[in-house]
Amino acid sequence: MRGEPRFRGRRGCRLITEVDGVAICEQLCVEDRASWVGPGYRRDYVLTMQRAGGFRCRADGHEHFLDPTVVNFEWPGEEFSVAHPLGPCAPATLIVLPPELGAGELSDRMASEAPRTGPVELAHWALVTACRRGVDRFEVAERLWGLLDLLPRPQEPVRVAGRRPPTALAHRRLVDAAREVLSSGDFSLSLDAIARRVGCSAAHLSRVFRQTAGCSLTSYRNDLRMRAVLRDIADGAPSLRILAATYGFADQAHLTRVARARLGLPPSRVRALLDPA
């Protein structure tokens, strides 16, 4: 073992398994305060993948909203504070690497956050499911490093011609506010209702979200819904028809089309892959 992750002592953290010096954990949310809590300090490299909901994080002076569409990275010694405007979150998957291991394995791809693409999300739940099944450590290790290898390398932030920094900051805050509303899990909200909640028009929100986040609100909403479907399938949900109705798809066929587009597989194949039995 090349070093032992010091995840022990993290509040609400439950070890799922440990392999090759890396701890795979389930983090239970123990905070529900909407105001900032902290600061705290990390001792390890930590990758956090929310399974539902979301929370605000302020790390080394930068503030962002973390939800199931991103992977969050933390560094040893990093100062952070958190706030939970949506209340307690669903459990999150944590991958904890000790400093000597994380510096070698992740030094070329660490950014404050990275998008969770369809392949990344499938690999995430395949890893969790393998751990739940109790497979041998060799398979867990292979799935773990396969997941880490799928993480995108950080890129330079997109620069928009003519946009002043204060405007860019205001737009980022507006986008985070919209992400927060959608991450509440109420997929029945209309675009106009979301815009009213964040204090702007639907047209302005749609335009700013696309420019700042790099995708449409519809695309982001579909990403959230597919992550909810994956979570429920991994937890043993039996009926695709019920899942389609629960998460606001028009019907099971609509769910299948979105799954194929987002994950490259139909829900029936995903269910076979993540069968917890």
Side-chain angles (χ1 to χ4, degrees), residues 104-243:
E105 299 293 346
L106 297 173
S107 58
D108 64 341
R109 70 190 72 189
M110 294 290 282
S112 59
E113 62 179 57
R116 275 156 67 178
T117 61
V120 168
E121 190 67 356
L122 274 176
H124 162 220
W125 280 109
L127 173 63
V128 172
T129 302
C131 293
R132 289 174 175 175
R133 287 172 177 161
V135 300
D136 65 83
R137 294 166 65 84
F138 187 96
E139 181 179 342
V140 170
E142 187 173 35
R143 289 187 181 277
L144 168 65
W145 299 118
L147 167 61
L148 296 180
D149 196 51
L150 287 172
L151 297 178
R153 271 61 175 176
Q155 298 178 346
E156 290 295 323
V158 177
R159 298 182 181 274
V160 180
R163 182 183 296 178
R164 298 190 302 273
T167 303
L169 179 60
H171 285 179
R172 169 52 60 188
R173 288 174 175 167
L174 180 64
V175 167
D176 279 353
R179 289 170 63 187
E180 186 177 305
V181 172
L182 280 165
S183 294
S184 69
D186 185 358
F187 297 115
S188 66
L189 290 171
S190 66
L191 175 58
D192 188 58
I194 295 169
R196 287 198 305 270
R197 289 197 183 187
V198 300
C200 69
S201 69
H204 181 70
L205 176 60
S206 180
R207 180 174 62 254
V208 168
F209 196 97
R210 187 183 296 273
Q211 290 174 347
T212 305
C215 67
S216 67
L217 274 160
T218 296
S219 178
Y220 174 76
R221 179 172 176 266
N222 280 340
D223 281 344
L224 283 180
R225 292 196 293 176
M226 285 312 307
R227 278 149 181 78
V229 168
L230 277 173
R231 183 185 69 248
D232 285 2
I233 289 176
D235 287 340
S239 171
L240 295 178
R241 180 180 58 80
I242 292 176
L243 285 177

Side-chain angles (χ1 to χ4, degrees), residues 21-142:
V22 181
I24 303 171
C25 309
E26 185 173 71
Q27 176 72 57
L28 304 177
C29 180
V30 294
E31 289 289 352
D32 62 357
R33 285 174 282 183
S35 58
W36 290 105
V37 178
Y41 299 90
R42 296 301 186 207
R43 302 176 64 192
D44 306 290
Y45 288 93
V46 181
L47 280 67
T48 302
M49 288 174 278
Q50 281 299 118
R51 298 178 184 175
F55 63 95
R56 293 185 177 274
C57 181
R58 181 187 290 156
D60 288 341
H62 300 283
E63 182 180 328
H64 49 292
F65 183 73
L66 302 179
D67 60 29
T69 70
V70 297
V71 180
N72 183 53
F73 297 90
E74 301 164 2
W75 289 263
E78 182 179 52
E79 179 183 292
F80 71 96
S81 301
V82 297
H84 288 73
L86 300 178
C89 298
T93 302
L94 265 60
I95 298 176
V96 186
L97 301 91
E100 64 274 15
L101 182 57
E105 299 293 346
L106 297 173
S107 58
D108 64 341
R109 70 190 72 189
M110 294 290 282
S112 59
E113 62 179 57
R116 275 156 67 178
T117 61
V120 168
E121 190 67 356
L122 274 176
H124 162 220
W125 280 109
L127 173 63
V128 172
T129 302
C131 293
R132 289 174 175 175
R133 287 172 177 161
V135 300
D136 65 83
R137 294 166 65 84
F138 187 96
E139 181 179 342
V140 170
E142 187 173 35

